[in-house]
């Protein structure tokens, strides 16, 4: 904080308009006509900032910025271990400084019996004079830290990206690699995503032929709710976002209930590689309409998990943010105040414009899956995990999907007997706990569990 103070005054003396971005309102004491404090806060899911210069501080608190130090001296701040005067809160501290100007003036009047204070408030202030002045000292930001640097030394310079990338990879800072756009081609990806989607003129038959010729299907599914309670997953596929790697086109194919079978041939074709996200779910959804997905080749969620097994946030939007540093919702201009339409959420009643955005997003997801595959494939190769991925993890997708589909047999009587054994063990353990505690304890009461005195 002392650096903020010293540097703000240094910049001001050099003729600069200084802005301090901080979530700590202690910096308000630094505000001047040329020093502005920006306080970030969240509103409606978006980050906004409030700006405070000298004029705004006076308007808000009725005090000069530096007088807020005296306010802090009286009220204290437990988060900064500043004691303040017992019994004096923010409102009282503000009113006292508005009246007396400074702590020094307040105690001068108190010593002369001219303060007009009464009762407990007067007693607290009289008995805690040293504490008040100590708190003011503790709450004052130092403006005279010795610095040897010049203004040129503080200019932001371009990073040595290759070195930073090497260090971040060594430390497994994958999230920051993408946040700071250290991967090659990230800006190009962002530009591509903004302009990529278009309603292609190709017919459904032409797109299916295209997939057959390329022998791969890079896709993202679009689903809505299905009220059929007999289904394992209460959803159904209503469309595919598909990326054409050769033509660099992202497109959307409607796959409603009446024509989902038109895609059966390519989906069941072992020779056509399927590249997507959360393929296990796709497998079950297709199985529910009589389609056996074949040719499962690459799941970006599984690849990401192998690269970072501690990562439990494998949602598609998070992977796009992690690997591409991009926000698809922002790119397609979706308002954040609206309910964000997730690829796997119910679409329900939608306007035509909303429906277009859903289709556009699904298409962009397919392109993002393509880009994330490129990145994760290289990283899997770098850590020597390609054999693990292709020979063990990807073949397991179909096995686990079929386990989920088929379920498993259980011996009901054996299961019930095991349940009884567990109940008996629980009762025995509970009895031991009560004996050790000295009495029974009702978890539904507020009585505290305690031991009997020895």
């Amino acid at each position: 904080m002392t650096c903020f103070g010293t540097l703000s005054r240094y910049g001001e003396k050099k003729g600069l308009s200084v802005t301090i971005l901080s979530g700590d309102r202690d910096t308000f004491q630094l505000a001047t006509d040329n020093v502005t404090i920006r306080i970030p806060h969240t509103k409606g899911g978006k980050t906004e900032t409030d700006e405070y210069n000298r004029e705004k501080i006076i308007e808000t608190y009725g005090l000069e910025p530096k007088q807020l130090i005296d306010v802090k001296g009286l009220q204290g701040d437990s988060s900064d271990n500043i004691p303040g005067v017992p019994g004096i809160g923010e409102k009282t501290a503000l009113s006292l400084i508005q009246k007396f100007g400074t702590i020094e003036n307040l105690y001068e009047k108190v010593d002369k019996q001219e303060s007009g204070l009464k009762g407990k408030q007067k007693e607290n202030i009289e008995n805690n004079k040293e504490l008040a002045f100590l708190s003011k000292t503790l709450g004052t930001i130092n403006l005279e830290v010795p610095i040897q640097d010049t203004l040129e030394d503080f200019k932001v310079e371009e990073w040595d990206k290759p070195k930073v990338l090497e260090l971040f990879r060594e430390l497994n800072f994958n999230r920051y690699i993408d946040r700071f756009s250290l991967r090659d081609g990230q800006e190009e990806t962002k530009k591509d995503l903004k302009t990529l989607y278009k309603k292609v003129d190709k017919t459904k038959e032409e797109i299916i032929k295209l997939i057959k010729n390329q022998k791969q299907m890079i896709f993202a599914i679009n689903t809505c709710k299905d009220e059929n309670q007999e289904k394992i997953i209460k959803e159904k596929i209503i469309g595919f976002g598909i990326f054409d790697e050769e033509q660099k086109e992202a497109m959307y194919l409607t796959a409603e209930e009446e024509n989902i079978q038109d895609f059966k041939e390519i989906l069941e074709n072992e020779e056509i590689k399927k590249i997507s996200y959360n393929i296990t779910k796709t497998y079950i959804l297709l199985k529910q309409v009589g389609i056996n997905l074949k040719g499962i080749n690459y799941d970006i969620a599984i690849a990401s998990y192998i690269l970072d097994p501690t990562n439990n946030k494998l949602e598609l939007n998070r992977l796009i943010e992690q690997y591409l540093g991009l926000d698809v919702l922002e790119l397609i201009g979706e308002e954040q105040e609206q309910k964000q339409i997730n690829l796997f959420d119910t679409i329900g009643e939608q306007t035509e414009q909303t429906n277009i955005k859903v289709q556009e997003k699904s298409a962009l997801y397919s392109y993002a899956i393509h880009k994330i595959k490129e990145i994760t494939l290289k990283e899997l190769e770098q850590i020597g995990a390609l054999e693990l991925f292709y020979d063990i993890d990807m073949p397991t997708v179909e096995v686990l999907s079929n386990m989920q589909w088929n379920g498993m047999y259980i011996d009901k009587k054996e299961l019930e007997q095991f349940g009884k054994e567990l109940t008996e063990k629980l009762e025995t353990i509970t009895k031991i706990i009560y004996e050790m505690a000295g009495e029974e304890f009702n978890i539904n009461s507020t009585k505290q569990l305690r031991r009997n005195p020895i």
Side-chain angles (χ1 to χ4, degrees):
M1 196 70 75
T2 54
C3 291
F4 278 169
T6 302
L7 292 174
S8 68
R9 292 298 181 262
Y10 176 79
E12 193 174 22
K13 287 176 183 177
K14 293 293 183 179
L16 299 176
S17 293
V18 178
T19 298
I20 297 174
L21 178 63
S22 172
D24 193 337
R25 292 176 180 264
D26 288 347
T27 54
F28 283 178
Q29 64 184 267
L30 302 174
T32 69
D33 292 332
N34 298 311
V35 177
T36 300
I37 315 300
R38 299 187 71 190
I39 301 290
H41 63 92
T42 302
K43 182 177 179 182
K46 298 175 69 175
T47 300
E48 298 180 353
T49 55
D50 294 328
E51 295 191 356
Y52 292 85
N53 56 10
R54 175 178 172 271
E55 182 180 353
K56 179 70 172 178
I57 295 293
I58 294 173
E59 177 187 332
T60 304
Y61 297 101
L63 296 170
E64 290 285 344
K66 66 179 181 180
Q67 290 179 288
L68 294 178
I69 303 171
D70 295 85
V71 174
K72 179 63 71 77
L74 291 177
Q75 78 174 77
D77 186 345
S78 59
S79 65
D80 288 335
N81 291 317
I82 299 175
V85 175
I88 302 297
E90 181 181 5
K91 289 184 179 179
T92 303
L94 279 169
S95 64
L96 288 172
I97 300 304
Q98 286 167 354
K99 180 178 180 180
F100 295 100
T102 64
I103 286 179
E104 288 79 5
N105 290 344
L106 167 63
Y107 277 98
E108 183 180 341
K109 294 294 184 182
V110 168
D111 293 342
K112 293 179 179 180
Q113 300 298 314
E114 298 175 354
S115 66
L117 301 177
K118 297 178 181 179
K120 191 67 175 177
Q121 185 184 86
K122 180 182 179 182
E123 182 184 332
N124 285 337
I125 289 175
E126 285 179 338
N127 294 339
N128 293 280
K129 183 175 181 178
E130 290 185 8
L131 214 53
F133 280 99
L134 171 63
S135 298
K136 179 174 179 177
T137 300
L138 293 173
T140 302
I141 296 175
N142 189 345
L143 305 179
E144 303 298 334
V145 176
I147 54 175
Q148 305 299 323
D149 303 285
T150 65
L151 197 58
E152 288 295 319
D153 296 322
F154 293 111
K155 285 188 175 180
V156 177
E157 297 179 354
E158 184 64 34
W159 293 6
D160 186 337
K161 286 191 175 182
K163 285 188 177 180
V164 175
L165 178 60
E166 181 182 351
L167 177 62
F168 278 16
R169 277 180 171 158
E170 181 183 336
L171 298 174
N172 289 322
F173 285 179
N174 293 323
R175 184 173 183 179
Y176 295 104
I177 289 173
D178 302 298
R179 177 177 292 180
F180 297 115
S181 305
L182 297 177
R183 300 182 195 274
D184 293 336
Q186 181 164 315
E187 287 304 314
E188 289 75 9
T189 300
K190 187 171 183 178
K191 182 180 177 182
D192 286 347
L193 268 173
K194 285 182 176 179
T195 59
L196 190 71
Y197 174 69
K198 55 186 175 183
K199 284 193 172 182
V200 294
D201 294 329
K202 296 183 180 70
T203 64
K204 176 180 62 180
E205 289 72 24
E206 288 174 328
I207 295 174
I208 290 175
K209 183 178 179 181
L210 177 150
I211 292 171
K212 287 181 180 179
N213 290 338
Q214 294 185 7
K215 293 192 179 301
Q216 72 173 11
M217 183 178 176
I218 304 171
F219 69 97
I221 60 170
N222 185 16
T223 71
C224 71
K225 266 189 182 178
D226 190 328
E227 302 299 335
N228 188 341
Q229 294 303 308
E230 294 184 1
K231 291 190 173 181
I232 297 172
I233 300 177
K234 308 303 185 291
E235 295 177 37
K236 58 184 177 182
I237 296 173
I238 59 172
F240 296 100
I242 294 176
F243 180 67
D244 179 356
E245 190 173 15
E246 290 185 0
Q247 299 299 319
K248 305 299 180 188
E249 289 180 339
M251 61 199 81
Y252 185 82
L253 266 177
T254 301
E256 295 286 1
E257 199 167 332
E258 59 271 14
N259 71 343
I260 185 72
Q261 297 300 323
D262 294 343
F263 304 95
K264 183 179 176 71
E265 184 183 356
I266 58 171
L267 291 168
E268 292 189 342
N269 190 328
E270 187 82 46
E271 302 300 317
I272 298 174
K273 295 178 181 178
K274 310 305 186 303
I275 300 160
S276 190
Y277 160 81
N278 194 6
I279 297 179
T280 296
K281 177 176 181 176
T282 304
Y283 187 97
I284 297 294
L285 290 174
L286 290 171
K287 191 90 168 175
Q288 290 178 165
V289 292
I291 297 174
N292 295 307
L293 184 65
K294 297 292 182 181
I296 298 171
N297 177 260
Y298 204 100
D299 189 321
I300 61 170
I302 294 174
S304 179
Y305 178 78
I306 292 175
L307 291 168
D308 183 8
T310 63
N311 181 14
N312 60 355
K313 297 177 180 178
L314 297 174
E315 296 91 343
L316 185 51
N317 281 339
R318 289 185 180 273
L319 293 180
I320 293 172
E321 181 183 350
Q322 176 184 341
Y323 286 101
L324 306 180
L326 304 174
D327 185 338
V328 172
L329 303 183
E330 179 184 332
L331 286 168
I332 65 174
E334 216 170 272
E335 293 296 329
Q336 293 297 316
E337 288 80 9
Q338 293 178 341
K339 181 182 183 298
Q340 293 181 351
I341 304 169
N342 186 288
L343 182 61
F344 304 110
D345 285 346
T346 302
I347 294 174
E349 297 282 332
Q350 296 175 355
T351 63
E352 183 177 351
Q353 183 179 3
T354 303
N355 194 43
I356 289 171
K357 286 199 181 284
V358 172
Q359 295 179 7
E360 180 181 355
K361 186 164 63 173
S362 299
L364 294 184
Y365 277 151
S366 69
Y367 175 67
I369 287 168
H370 160 70
K371 294 301 293 184
I372 293 172
K373 180 203 170 182
E374 288 184 338
I375 294 168
T376 54
L377 188 62
K378 288 180 182 178
E379 294 189 359
L380 288 171
E381 186 176 9
Q382 287 172 359
I383 65 172
L386 281 180
E387 186 175 351
L388 168 69
F389 177 75
Y390 279 119
D391 294 348
I392 297 177
D393 283 283
M394 288 313 301
T396 306
V397 171
E398 186 172 354
V399 175
L400 294 175
S401 299
N402 278 316
M403 287 175 63
Q404 184 177 349
W405 174 261
N406 294 319
M408 61 182 180
Y409 290 107
I410 61 168
D411 186 324
K412 185 177 179 180
K413 290 183 179 180
E414 184 69 26
L415 189 63
E416 289 174 347
Q417 179 59 36
F418 183 58
K420 288 179 182 178
E421 291 175 9
L422 291 179
T423 301
E424 290 171 1
K425 287 182 180 178
L426 181 60
E427 289 174 353
T428 301
I429 293 170
T430 301
K431 185 177 179 181
I432 293 171
I433 291 173
Y434 286 155
E435 290 174 352
M436 293 177 68
E439 65 177 274
E440 287 197 8
F441 176 64
N442 182 359
I443 61 173
N444 296 316
S445 74
T446 57
K447 183 172 65 175
Q448 295 296 312
L449 181 65
R450 62 184 183 274
R451 294 177 182 271
N452 283 340
I454 297 175

